[in-house]
Each structure stands twice: as structure tokens, then as C-alpha cells.
Amino acid sequence: MQRACESGIPVVIIDSALGEGGEGAFQAFLSTDNCAAGEQVAKRMIDEAGTTGKVGIMSYVAGVGSEIGRVGCFTTYLQENSDLEIVGPLYSQSQMANALNQTTDMLASNPDLIGIFGANEPTAVGMGRAIEQAGKAGQLTALGFDGNEDLQQFVRDGVLTATAVQGSFAMGEMGVQTVMDILAGETVEPFINTGVVMVDKANIESDEARNVLY
């Protein structure tokens, strides 16, 4: 990348941020704004579950950059905009089986839980399976993150109210467009948010959802 940059070749980074050694070697970075995504999920939680009661957080790896933004901003938004009591977060280490067991325990310990958030794909899958096994599908607002086949089926079956899916298609399309803009001599933003789509039963067959589901 340094050599490309020194040679005048535009460099655009997609999805994963670089370490400090990469500073100055690229013109733009396109990714999900995880803080904005966490806030978007929190807004949906309030819309669906209301402003009082208990909401559980099933997270993945403490201290990871995406987790700090996604779960941190979800939490902050709930605290500032509702009287919801937060249970957790619990950390699955991005292992589906851990998330299943942890969610099972959380549901058993908090039978009055009105909402729960699974903050990445394996965590949300484990969470969904635990909700199914506990017979609580449709009884609480369950929001996931990412959109593989398991999560899509949970949405269709009503196990998940919705799942926030990162714009992988947008990352690629906007990444190419950003390179074209640089080549055309236009100024581009150093960080471009590729956004998330809240996929639920009502829009899962739409073009917008199909562009992000996988």
C-alpha cells in the first residue's frame, strides 16, 4: 500500500481498519459505522419494546473496536433515551455454542426480559436458538446483527424481530465509485459509512434486503 501510494495509485480500504502503520497510505476507508449501527438497533429496540423493562445484551469479544462502537453506542442510546434496565453484556467470544448457553441462562434468570440484542453473527445465531428452545419466540423483542441463512430464517419464523445487516454490496459498489472519484480528481471523505439495513419480516424479500443478505 505504501508503494502504491508513493507511486500515485489510489488506495481505498474496505471493511477492516488498518493499524497505525497504514496511516497516510490510503485516500479513503469504507466500512460500517458501528456506533451509528448500534444506535440504529437501539432505536428499533425502543420502538418495538418501549421505554421500560429489562433488555439483555449478548455481545462477542470485549474491547474489540467494532464491539466498543456497536454495543457501547447501543447501550448509551438506551440509557439516554429510555428507562430500560440493561442486563449484561455477556461475551460469547464469537462462539455460537457459548451464546446459546449464555442466552439460555439469561432468559431463565430474567423471565421478565422484554428485549435482547445479539451483537454479531455467531452470537445472534446462538441467541436465536436459545430463544427457540426456551419457547419464547415472539414473546420478546429480539434483534440480531448480520444476515446469514440462519438469521434470515429466524426473521421469517418470528424468532428475531429484525436483524441489522451490514452493507457488503454497498461496500464494494461504493468502494469502486470512490476510486473512480479519486481518479477524476474529486475530493473524497476519508471515512465513508456504508450503513446497515434493518431487515425484518416485512422487507426481507425487498431488493434493499437482498443486496445485503448472504
Side-chain angles (χ1 to χ4, degrees):
M1 284 176 49
Q2 291 284 3
R3 289 197 296 271
C5 188
E6 290 165 2
S7 301
I9 299 170
V11 179
V12 172
I13 306 301
I14 294 176
D15 188 38
S16 297
L18 299 174
E20 292 181 3
E23 290 178 1
F26 59 95
Q27 284 73 40
F29 170 43
L30 292 85
S31 180
T32 303
D33 182 333
N34 281 291
C35 182
E39 290 181 347
Q40 191 171 340
V41 177
K43 290 175 187 175
R44 183 63 179 260
M45 181 65 75
I46 290 172
D47 288 346
E48 297 282 349
T51 57
T52 60
K54 291 183 182 178
V55 168
I57 299 177
M58 304 303 303
S59 191
Y60 43 112
V61 180
V64 171
S66 63
E67 192 273 343
I68 291 171
R70 193 178 302 170
V71 176
C73 292
F74 173 84
T75 302
T76 299
Y77 189 91
L78 290 189
Q79 291 172 336
E80 293 178 350
N81 294 276
S82 75
D83 293 318
L84 290 165
E85 177 186 344
I86 294 171
V87 181
L90 301 181
Y91 298 97
S92 71
Q93 305 306 315
S94 287
Q95 298 297 314
M96 186 278 295
N98 288 345
L100 192 160
N101 292 332
Q102 290 171 334
T103 305
T104 298
D105 291 344
M106 182 181 283
L107 292 172
S109 302
N110 300 275
D112 54 346
L113 210 66
I114 64 166
I116 192 166
F117 171 39
N120 78 343
E121 183 179 287
T123 305
V125 171
M127 181 187 82
R129 290 180 181 175
I131 291 169
E132 266 191 328
Q133 291 176 13
K136 295 205 169 187
Q139 295 180 23
L140 73 170
T141 299
L143 301 177
F145 206 96
D146 288 323
N148 69 1
E149 291 184 1
D150 287 334
L151 296 175
Q152 293 174 47
Q153 195 59 50
F154 284 148
V155 169
R156 290 190 173 96
D157 293 343
V159 177
L160 292 182
T161 309
T163 188
V165 188
Q166 300 180 81
S168 303
F169 183 92
M171 287 183 194
E173 182 179 43
M174 293 167 69
V176 173
Q177 184 61 55
T178 301
V179 172
M180 292 169 62
D181 290 344
I182 294 169
L183 291 172
E186 298 180 20
T187 301
V188 299
E189 293 294 325
F191 175 73
I192 298 170
N193 178 21
T194 51
V196 296
V197 176
M198 292 298 298
V199 176
D200 56 24
K201 195 178 291 189
N203 72 358
I204 195 168
E205 302 300 339
S206 69
D207 289 342
E208 182 184 31
R210 288 173 183 269
N211 278 342
V212 296
L213 295 170
Y214 49 91

